[in-house]
Structure formats: structure tokens, C-alpha cells
Amino acid sequence: METGSKQLWLLTCLYLLMGCYVVSALDFQYHNHSALTQYMQEISKTYRNMTNLYSIGESLLKRKLWVLEISTAPMDKLGVPNVKLIANIHGNEAAGREILLQLIQFFVTNYCCNDTVRWLLNNTRIHILPSLNPDGFEISTEGKCELGLGRENARHVDLNRSFPDYFQNNTQPRQRETEAVIDWLTRTTFVLSASLHGGVLVANYPYENVMENNMADPYLPSISPDDDVFRHLATTYARTHPTMHLGLPCHDMDKRFEDGITNGAAWYPITGGMQDYNYIYHGCMEITLEISCCKYPFAQELPKLWEENKEALLNYISQVHQGVRGYVFDNSTQKPIPGASLKIEGRDSFFRTTPRGEFWRILLPGSYQLQVNAPGYEPQEIEFTVASPKQGKRLIPTWLNVSMPAVIKRMVVSHEVLVATNPPVTVMDDASTLHHVASQETVGLTEDPTAPLSNIDLTPTSMGMVKLSNTHVTDSDSEPQQLSLSEGRGSAVVTMASMTSRMVLLITTFLNVVPISCLHVFCNYNACCV
């Protein structure tokens, strides 16, 4: 470690160590919305150099939906991925809410003494939303393990059934909490996400719905284009958890889950789920973590639940650093290209660059081809390899700089052009007659440099015009030739040699000479009268 970096690290640790004595230890108890708000504000104030507290909106009953962003990465550093963790979408599934508060405490108080924490915060932006349904939580009952009050929001709507759905028409009314998450995803590019639930032990991955006409009994898996990655993410969490990977049912009648993971639709299909919405509409890979057999366990069980899920959460977050990431930019100006569309060949799922031109995609080790498209630029295809992680080493993503050359625009004329031979003017010589040109279809810019312009046929038309049309080029008509045609007072003479340049000159001169009032006489479509 360089001297300057070491000094900065020591100063940061000293500041954080002082903060440890300012913020009291977080008790293992359930915190109502007022206590949760006070705790997150206190953390943000004490650790302002590594946290950012913000709200994504309000619940129906005006409770703030607080998010704490935790990171020590510089704001101007490119390529730092965003990860989000959400809990309590069902208000009566409360354990996840407290687990995420404990994770916040663990992050801010262990930056100096835990290598994994320090590495994650230096290289990741972690956004934690402990409660998406604070209204439901406030009326839930501690110790109630099955269904009960508080699952739904204040309008009695299940928030995990209220998101837009790709597979089926979702008739569930959009909720204020749902809209807050949708806006959040629109503003921030998240790469990885998890939603913490309760009532069973399993890691559930997309898809969690199927097309209406594909319903089956028993339920069948609904496979996503990134099924291998989702299975890996779910397996990573389940295997790190001390018991989830065993797949044991919580109750006698519960289903057994092989390796502690399940495809959502294979478990039971739902419409309007949050994890499918994240993936399909925003390219964010989210899974659902069911972390306790009891939906609302007694507070004395919280220390055990925290220890069971702590390492699993850390390991899961670190998976965002496996795969590919990079920067898309204009090769002339070197400026970033926002909103470029990216796709891994063979995977029918798309993702986009950020306003800063950044992109990320979680991929398993192997060889891939990245396809990049942006309006006004030549499409690019880049082959790359994701290396296998080394034993005991941190995950290192493959970095790609994608330089996009702009499309070269060329002026062409469509396959039919009208040349006026009897223009509506008082005095007009033969040369100026050629200036009155209008396309029957379109005259404009094209990205096709091979558009055929080399051979022209002339045909008399009404209104004292001659129609010029593309013809098939053969060896016999490859030599320059001169055609002439006269009708009434005007005449048109066209030489076939160097026809491409002549046509461009013809159109350019016409646009500069002919009055606007004349254009409407010769144009069949107003689109060409500009």
C-alpha cells in the first residue's frame, strides 16, 4: 500500500473508530418506524463520509421509505456497481427488516477491521431499504408465524403482486410504494438485488410467472435467458447459509427444495412480482430470499438469524464483481454514450449504459460476445472472456472499453425522381430546368453506402415532367451514354457517366434554387418538400 493511501486509510479508520463510541450498539429487537428513522439518521450523521441517507418516497400513510447508501468509493470513479437490498415488502415478514439494520451496523463499524467489508465498500455502492411496507409492519404481530394482519399495505394490496408484469396483464392497481420502487430503478442503474422475506428457507430466482396458456399442474420452471447466473446466485446464498442448502421443509406439509433453491414459477407462479420486474424491465438481477421459517419470529431469535445470514449476505453482494463491465464512448469525442443497448450473444435479455456510459453484467466464467448498439453509431461486437476466480482471491470482472464510430451519412435519391421539363415559371433555360427535381418517395440521408444510383431510365409523365428510375446494371450499358428527351418548351439531357455525383449535385442545386411555392407542385408527398 502506498504511503498516501495508507495515511488516508488510517485517518478513515480513526474517524470511524470515533464513530463507534458515538453510535450505540444496535439491540436485537424490532424497531418501529420512528425508531428505524432515528437510527438511520443517526448513522448517516455519524458516518457521513461513507453513508448517504435518502428517501425514495412515502407509504400510503405518509411514512418515509428510507434508503441508506453505504460506500467509500469516490463518486467520480467509473465502473462502481450499485447493489440494493430490500426487506419487509410484506409487512408481517419482519425478520429481514432487522437483519438489514444489523447489516448496516456491521458495515459502518467493521470497515477498519474486516477485509471483506473494506473491499466491498471500496468497490461497491450498497443501497439498503429495510422496510418497503412500514404501514403493514406497524399492525403486524410479533410471534405470528403464519398469515396475518400486515402482509398487505394500508390499501389491502399485496405489494409483491402490484408491479408491471411481462407475462400476464396485471389488473392489480399500482400502489404508492410500488411507484416509488419503479422510479428508484429508473433513476439508478442497479446490477444486483435481493428481497428478504420470511416463512420458509429457500432462495427463489426468476422467472416467477408464465404465459397464461402455459399454466401446468404441477408447476413447471419458467426459464430466463440468464438461468445459469440466477441459479449460481441462489446457490451461492444457500450454500453459505448453514442450513438453507439442505432444502429441509420448515413444516411437515412444506415442499422440499433441492439444494435450498427454486425457480419461482416452479414453486408457484405469481403475477406482478418485484424480482421479475427488476430483471425484465431494468436488467437488474434480483432474487427472493426466504430467510426464516416463521414470518414474524420473536425478537430473541434475531441474533441467531443474523449469524445465519451475515456471511451469506456478504458473499451474495460480492457476486456483483463477477462478469463483465466497461465504458461505451464516442471514438471521436471520447465522450460517454448514455442509453446504448447491450446484449450478450445467445441471451435474449438487454441492458443499457448509464448517463456516464458505464455498463455491468454478471456472467459465469467462459467466452462471450458483447453486442452494442446506439443511435447514430456503427454497431459493435466484442469477444471477451470471463476468467475463473482463483481460490481465496477476490472476484475480478473483465473490463471492456467500447469505442463507437459514428455512422457516416450519405446523400442518396430513391429509385424514382421527377425532372421538370415544363416548369411553371415565365423564363427558364434548359440548364435551370434540371434544377426542378423532386422525389416521389424520399430524398435524404442514409446509412447504406451501397444504395444503387448508377443507371437511370427516363420516362415521360404528366405535368411536363420526366421520371428517372434505377435500372439493372449490365455489361452492355456500363459505358457512358447520353439520352435526351424533349416535351413542350423544356428539355432534359442526362449523361450516365458519374451519375452518383451528378444526382447529388442535382438535388443540392434544386433545394437551393426552387421557391417553396414550386415544391408543392412537384412533390407527391410533403415529406420531400423541405
Side-chain angles (χ1 to χ4, degrees):
M1 182 183 294
E2 296 181 0
T3 304
S5 300
K6 186 174 183 179
Q7 290 175 345
L8 179 60
W9 177 75
L10 290 173
L11 288 173
T12 303
C13 287
L14 179 61
Y15 182 86
L16 295 176
L17 184 62
M18 292 171 62
C20 295
Y21 294 99
V22 176
V23 178
S24 58
L26 182 66
D27 294 333
F28 284 101
Q29 64 181 26
Y30 289 102
H31 298 77
N32 62 22
H33 186 71
S34 177
L36 181 148
T37 299
Q38 181 179 350
Y39 171 75
M40 296 184 75
Q41 289 176 339
E42 186 179 352
I43 288 291
S44 177
K45 181 179 179 180
T46 304
Y47 298 95
R48 61 172 57 95
N49 65 323
M50 64 188 304
T51 63
N52 172 40
L53 180 65
Y54 63 97
S55 171
I56 62 170
E58 294 181 338
S59 68
L60 193 65
L61 299 182
K62 303 296 185 181
R63 293 184 172 98
K64 294 282 189 182
L65 303 176
W66 291 114
V67 176
L68 190 72
E69 178 187 355
I70 311 175
S71 180
T72 54
M75 290 302 298
D76 59 351
K77 182 179 178 182
L78 286 176
V80 180
N82 289 292
V83 177
K84 64 180 171 67
L85 303 173
I86 300 176
N88 207 207
I89 189 173
H90 293 144
N92 65 329
E93 297 176 15
R97 174 187 176 108
E98 297 303 321
I99 296 304
L100 291 189
L101 290 180
Q102 292 293 335
L103 183 63
I104 290 172
Q105 182 81 5
F106 183 76
F107 275 139
V108 298
T109 58
N110 284 271
Y111 179 81
C112 295
C113 54
N114 186 297
D115 290 340
T116 299
V117 169
R118 186 164 55 253
W119 176 74
L120 282 176
L121 296 188
N122 286 346
N123 296 282
T124 324
R125 305 193 199 283
I126 304 169
H127 304 249
I128 299 178
L129 171 58
S131 181
L132 181 55
N133 187 4
D135 297 347
F137 173 80
E138 294 295 324
I139 62 172
S140 300
T141 304
E142 183 178 344
K144 191 169 183 58
C145 294
E146 303 301 328
L147 291 176
L149 284 175
R151 175 183 176 86
E152 302 166 336
N153 72 346
R155 194 170 280 160
H156 307 293
V157 173
D158 187 333
L159 296 179
N160 203 36
R161 306 292 188 275
S162 64
F163 284 85
D165 196 282
Y166 169 78
F167 295 96
Q168 299 185 35
N169 180 37
N170 188 7
T171 59
Q172 194 73 262
R174 197 77 52 79
Q175 300 302 298
R176 182 176 294 175
E177 298 89 343
T178 310
E179 293 284 4
V181 173
I182 291 173
D183 292 343
W184 188 25
L185 283 161
T186 302
R187 293 191 307 269
T188 307
T189 301
F190 289 104
V191 185
L192 181 65
S193 178
S195 178
L196 278 61
H197 290 238
V200 67
L201 279 179
V202 68
N204 167 5
Y205 59 90
Y207 293 130
E208 55 188 351
N209 202 4
V210 296
M211 293 299 183
E212 191 169 3
N213 56 357
N214 288 340
M215 285 289 187
D217 188 16
Y219 301 127
L220 298 175
S222 183
I223 307 301
S224 75
D226 293 291
D227 187 70
D228 58 336
V229 177
F230 278 118
R231 291 179 63 87
H232 167 76
L233 293 172
T235 300
T236 295
Y237 196 94
R239 287 181 178 174
T240 310
H241 190 283
T243 59
M244 186 181 290
H245 67 279
L246 300 175
L248 300 175
C250 287
H251 310 287
D252 292 340
M253 299 299 294
D254 284 353
K255 179 180 179 179
R256 183 186 180 95
F257 299 104
E258 185 176 356
D259 297 324
I261 68 173
T262 184
N263 175 269
W267 185 10
Y268 60 92
I270 67 170
T271 298
M274 185 167 66
Q275 71 176 13
D276 276 9
Y277 174 77
N278 269 261
Y279 174 58
I280 295 172
Y281 291 87
H282 295 278
C284 173
M285 293 185 171
E286 176 172 291
I287 68 173
T288 299
L289 301 172
E290 303 276 357
I291 63 170
S292 62
C293 287
C294 181
K295 289 183 178 295
Y296 198 155
F298 286 109
Q300 58 261 35
E301 297 183 42
L302 291 176
K304 178 175 178 291
L305 288 172
W306 163 241
E307 290 300 324
E308 289 175 344
N309 289 278
K310 177 177 66 176
E311 291 301 324
L313 284 168
L314 297 178
N315 199 6
Y316 180 78
I317 294 171
S318 71
Q319 299 308 305
V320 76
H321 296 286
Q322 179 168 242
V324 64
R325 69 183 58 167
Y327 176 63
V328 179
F329 60 96
D330 185 302
N331 75 336
S332 297
T333 66
Q334 306 300 305
K335 292 182 178 180
I337 301 176
S341 176
L342 302 101
K343 178 180 180 292
I344 303 298
E345 185 181 29
R347 295 173 183 254
D348 192 19
S349 59
F350 294 83
F351 50 106
R352 295 189 178 276
T353 54
T354 70
R356 302 200 301 178
E358 305 158 293
F359 69 89
W360 303 263
R361 200 63 170 175
I362 303 173
L363 295 167
L364 302 186
S367 297
Y368 300 92
Q369 183 164 287
L370 178 68
Q371 300 173 347
V372 188
N373 289 274
Y377 293 91
E378 298 285 355
Q380 299 296 303
E381 293 188 356
I382 304 100
E383 294 182 354
F384 66 95
T385 300
V386 175
S388 299
K390 296 181 179 180
Q391 186 70 26
K393 300 293 184 180
R394 304 291 185 197
L395 294 172
I396 301 177
T398 298
W399 181 276
L400 297 178
N401 285 323
V402 183
S403 176
M404 301 286 286
V407 169
I408 299 176
K409 303 290 186 178
R410 294 173 173 86
M411 177 68 78
V412 302
V413 182
S414 69
H415 72 282
E416 292 187 352
V417 174
L418 299 182
V419 178
T421 61
N422 192 16
V425 292
T426 304
V427 179
M428 181 73 69
D429 60 355
D430 289 345
S432 62
T433 300
L434 290 176
H435 298 166
H436 294 270
V437 179
S439 168
Q440 284 190 324
E441 293 189 356
T442 181
V443 176
L445 298 178
T446 181
E447 298 177 8
D448 182 10
T450 63
L453 294 172
S454 59
N455 214 10
I456 305 296
D457 284 342
L458 279 73
T459 307
T461 69
S462 61
M463 296 176 60
M465 292 185 174
V466 173
K467 181 173 72 175
L468 283 69
S469 312
N470 292 348
T471 59
H472 179 67
V473 177
T474 62
D475 293 338
S476 61
D477 57 329
S478 59
E479 292 296 324
Q481 53 185 306
Q482 191 176 70
L483 302 177
S484 65
L485 179 72
S486 63
E487 178 179 324
R489 291 180 301 167
S491 64
V493 179
V494 181
T495 302
M496 299 305 294
S498 305
M499 183 56 67
T500 300
S501 60
R502 289 174 178 268
M503 290 297 292
V504 173
L505 177 61
L506 194 67
I507 297 301
T508 304
T509 308
F510 167 73
L511 293 177
N512 290 332
V513 173
V514 179
I516 295 298
S517 59
C518 295
L519 295 181
H520 291 282
V521 176
F522 299 111
C523 289
N524 288 344
Y525 301 106
N526 287 335
C528 70
C529 297
V530 293

PDB file of all heavy atoms in Angstrom, residues 28-39:
ATOM      1  N   PHE A  28     -30.909  -6.221  19.467  1.00  0.00           N
ATOM      2  CA  PHE A  28     -31.679  -7.208  18.717  1.00  0.00           C
ATOM      3  C   PHE A  28     -33.130  -7.156  19.181  1.00  0.00           C
ATOM      4  O   PHE A  28     -33.583  -7.933  20.015  1.00  0.00           O
ATOM      5  CB  PHE A  28     -31.086  -8.611  18.908  1.00  0.00           C
ATOM      6  CG  PHE A  28     -29.834  -8.837  18.108  1.00  0.00           C
ATOM      7  CD1 PHE A  28     -28.593  -8.762  18.724  1.00  0.00           C
ATOM      8  CD2 PHE A  28     -29.883  -9.119  16.747  1.00  0.00           C
ATOM      9  CE1 PHE A  28     -27.422  -8.971  17.991  1.00  0.00           C
ATOM     10  CE2 PHE A  28     -28.727  -9.328  16.019  1.00  0.00           C
ATOM     11  CZ  PHE A  28     -27.491  -9.250  16.627  1.00  0.00           C
ATOM     12  N   GLN A  29     -33.810  -6.198  18.635  1.00  0.00           N
ATOM     13  CA  GLN A  29     -35.229  -6.030  18.914  1.00  0.00           C
ATOM     14  C   GLN A  29     -35.873  -5.409  17.681  1.00  0.00           C
ATOM     15  O   GLN A  29     -35.181  -4.908  16.793  1.00  0.00           O
ATOM     16  CB  GLN A  29     -35.446  -5.121  20.121  1.00  0.00           C
ATOM     17  CG  GLN A  29     -34.945  -3.698  19.900  1.00  0.00           C
ATOM     18  CD  GLN A  29     -35.153  -2.805  21.113  1.00  0.00           C
ATOM     19  OE1 GLN A  29     -35.221  -3.289  22.236  1.00  0.00           O
ATOM     20  NE2 GLN A  29     -35.249  -1.506  20.887  1.00  0.00           N
ATOM     21  N   TYR A  30     -37.196  -5.456  17.626  1.00  0.00           N
ATOM     22  CA  TYR A  30     -37.882  -4.877  16.483  1.00  0.00           C
ATOM     23  C   TYR A  30     -38.029  -3.375  16.673  1.00  0.00           C
ATOM     24  O   TYR A  30     -38.410  -2.915  17.745  1.00  0.00           O
ATOM     25  CB  TYR A  30     -39.246  -5.539  16.282  1.00  0.00           C
ATOM     26  CG  TYR A  30     -39.132  -6.955  15.770  1.00  0.00           C
ATOM     27  CD1 TYR A  30     -39.291  -8.041  16.628  1.00  0.00           C
ATOM     28  CD2 TYR A  30     -38.830  -7.213  14.436  1.00  0.00           C
ATOM     29  CE1 TYR A  30     -39.165  -9.344  16.169  1.00  0.00           C
ATOM     30  CE2 TYR A  30     -38.696  -8.513  13.966  1.00  0.00           C
ATOM     31  CZ  TYR A  30     -38.868  -9.575  14.834  1.00  0.00           C
ATOM     32  OH  TYR A  30     -38.722 -10.858  14.381  1.00  0.00           O
ATOM     33  N   HIS A  31     -37.725  -2.644  15.624  1.00  0.00           N
ATOM     34  CA  HIS A  31     -37.773  -1.190  15.663  1.00  0.00           C
ATOM     35  C   HIS A  31     -38.973  -0.711  14.848  1.00  0.00           C
ATOM     36  O   HIS A  31     -39.086  -1.030  13.653  1.00  0.00           O
ATOM     37  CB  HIS A  31     -36.482  -0.601  15.081  1.00  0.00           C
ATOM     38  CG  HIS A  31     -35.254  -0.967  15.840  1.00  0.00           C
ATOM     39  ND1 HIS A  31     -34.653  -2.193  15.737  1.00  0.00           N
ATOM     40  CD2 HIS A  31     -34.513  -0.251  16.732  1.00  0.00           C
ATOM     41  CE1 HIS A  31     -33.587  -2.239  16.513  1.00  0.00           C
ATOM     42  NE2 HIS A  31     -33.477  -1.068  17.134  1.00  0.00           N
ATOM     43  N   ASN A  32     -39.846   0.045  15.495  1.00  0.00           N
ATOM     44  CA  ASN A  32     -40.962   0.609  14.741  1.00  0.00           C
ATOM     45  C   ASN A  32     -40.432   1.686  13.799  1.00  0.00           C
ATOM     46  O   ASN A  32     -39.236   1.980  13.780  1.00  0.00           O
ATOM     47  CB  ASN A  32     -42.056   1.132  15.671  1.00  0.00           C
ATOM     48  CG  ASN A  32     -41.566   2.258  16.581  1.00  0.00           C
ATOM     49  OD1 ASN A  32     -40.580   2.942  16.286  1.00  0.00           O
ATOM     50  ND2 ASN A  32     -42.256   2.450  17.699  1.00  0.00           N
ATOM     51  N   HIS A  33     -41.339   2.296  13.037  1.00  0.00           N
ATOM     52  CA  HIS A  33     -40.877   3.225  12.005  1.00  0.00           C
ATOM     53  C   HIS A  33     -40.151   4.431  12.599  1.00  0.00           C
ATOM     54  O   HIS A  33     -39.148   4.897  12.041  1.00  0.00           O
ATOM     55  CB  HIS A  33     -42.051   3.704  11.153  1.00  0.00           C
ATOM     56  CG  HIS A  33     -41.628   4.546   9.986  1.00  0.00           C
ATOM     57  ND1 HIS A  33     -40.968   4.033   8.892  1.00  0.00           N
ATOM     58  CD2 HIS A  33     -41.736   5.889   9.748  1.00  0.00           C
ATOM     59  CE1 HIS A  33     -40.705   4.989   8.034  1.00  0.00           C
ATOM     60  NE2 HIS A  33     -41.152   6.130   8.524  1.00  0.00           N
ATOM     61  N   SER A  34     -40.621   4.920  13.735  1.00  0.00           N
ATOM     62  CA  SER A  34     -39.977   6.063  14.376  1.00  0.00           C
ATOM     63  C   SER A  34     -38.560   5.719  14.818  1.00  0.00           C
ATOM     64  O   SER A  34     -37.618   6.492  14.582  1.00  0.00           O
ATOM     65  CB  SER A  34     -40.813   6.531  15.572  1.00  0.00           C
ATOM     66  OG  SER A  34     -40.166   7.590  16.241  1.00  0.00           O
ATOM     67  N   ALA A  35     -38.396   4.540  15.442  1.00  0.00           N
ATOM     68  CA  ALA A  35     -37.067   4.114  15.900  1.00  0.00           C
ATOM     69  C   ALA A  35     -36.147   3.820  14.724  1.00  0.00           C
ATOM     70  O   ALA A  35     -34.951   4.125  14.760  1.00  0.00           O
ATOM     71  CB  ALA A  35     -37.201   2.884  16.795  1.00  0.00           C
ATOM     72  N   LEU A  36     -36.703   3.221  13.665  1.00  0.00           N
ATOM     73  CA  LEU A  36     -35.904   2.941  12.468  1.00  0.00           C
ATOM     74  C   LEU A  36     -35.400   4.235  11.845  1.00  0.00           C
ATOM     75  O   LEU A  36     -34.222   4.341  11.472  1.00  0.00           O
ATOM     76  CB  LEU A  36     -36.751   2.145  11.471  1.00  0.00           C
ATOM     77  CG  LEU A  36     -36.113   1.728  10.151  1.00  0.00           C
ATOM     78  CD1 LEU A  36     -36.697   0.395   9.673  1.00  0.00           C
ATOM     79  CD2 LEU A  36     -36.323   2.783   9.054  1.00  0.00           C
ATOM     80  N   THR A  37     -36.280   5.219  11.754  1.00  0.00           N
ATOM     81  CA  THR A  37     -35.899   6.516  11.191  1.00  0.00           C
ATOM     82  C   THR A  37     -34.796   7.168  12.017  1.00  0.00           C
ATOM     83  O   THR A  37     -33.803   7.676  11.465  1.00  0.00           O
ATOM     84  CB  THR A  37     -37.120   7.446  11.119  1.00  0.00           C
ATOM     85  OG1 THR A  37     -38.114   6.858  10.271  1.00  0.00           O
ATOM     86  CG2 THR A  37     -36.734   8.817  10.591  1.00  0.00           C
ATOM     87  N   GLN A  38     -34.955   7.155  13.329  1.00  0.00           N
ATOM     88  CA  GLN A  38     -33.961   7.768  14.206  1.00  0.00           C
ATOM     89  C   GLN A  38     -32.607   7.085  14.068  1.00  0.00           C
ATOM     90  O   GLN A  38     -31.561   7.757  14.009  1.00  0.00           O
ATOM     91  CB  GLN A  38     -34.443   7.704  15.660  1.00  0.00           C
ATOM     92  CG  GLN A  38     -33.492   8.344  16.653  1.00  0.00           C
ATOM     93  CD  GLN A  38     -34.013   8.272  18.081  1.00  0.00           C
ATOM     94  OE1 GLN A  38     -35.171   7.909  18.319  1.00  0.00           O
ATOM     95  NE2 GLN A  38     -33.156   8.605  19.043  1.00  0.00           N
ATOM     96  N   TYR A  39     -32.608   5.758  14.001  1.00  0.00           N
ATOM     97  CA  TYR A  39     -31.347   5.021  13.882  1.00  0.00           C
ATOM     98  C   TYR A  39     -30.634   5.351  12.571  1.00  0.00           C
ATOM     99  O   TYR A  39     -29.427   5.633  12.552  1.00  0.00           O
ATOM    100  CB  TYR A  39     -31.600   3.517  13.972  1.00  0.00           C
ATOM    101  CG  TYR A  39     -30.381   2.695  13.632  1.00  0.00           C
ATOM    102  CD1 TYR A  39     -29.326   2.586  14.529  1.00  0.00           C
ATOM    103  CD2 TYR A  39     -30.265   2.062  12.396  1.00  0.00           C
ATOM    104  CE1 TYR A  39     -28.187   1.863  14.214  1.00  0.00           C
ATOM    105  CE2 TYR A  39     -29.143   1.331  12.071  1.00  0.00           C
ATOM    106  CZ  TYR A  39     -28.100   1.232  12.984  1.00  0.00           C
ATOM    107  OH  TYR A  39     -26.974   0.515  12.663  1.00  0.00           O
TER     108      TYR A  39
END
